[in-house]
């Protein structure tokens, strides 16, 4: 996942659309794919925030 994808998932202005796309293209496992994507986006965000704190 790219940083831009993580932003789309976590930004309230774009999250519904981004998560809807993930669920749609995930087919029968759409809801599971949404959870995985949210977890990954959160991990990316936390990593960036931790790097920022070190600076």
């Amino acid at each position: 996942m790219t940083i831009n994808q993580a932003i789309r998932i976590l930004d309230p202005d774009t999250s519904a659309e981004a998560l809807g796309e993930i669920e749609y293209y995930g087919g029968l496992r759409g809801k599971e794919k949404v959870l995985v994507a949210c977890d990954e986006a959160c991990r990316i965000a936390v990593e960036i925030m931790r790097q920022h704190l070190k600076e």
Side-chain angles (χ1 to χ4, degrees), residues 9-54:
I9 290 169
L10 298 174
D11 184 345
D13 292 335
T14 57
S15 65
E17 181 181 354
L19 295 173
E21 290 171 5
I22 292 168
E23 184 174 3
Y24 176 79
Y25 290 113
L28 295 175
R29 293 190 166 190
K31 297 214 184 280
E32 179 182 332
K33 298 224 179 229
V34 165
L35 292 174
V36 169
C38 286
D39 286 346
E40 188 174 352
C42 287
R43 275 192 232 100
I44 289 170
V46 168
E47 180 181 329
I48 291 169
M49 287 186 279
R50 284 186 176 141
Q51 289 173 1
H52 179 75
L53 286 175
K54 290 179 185 177

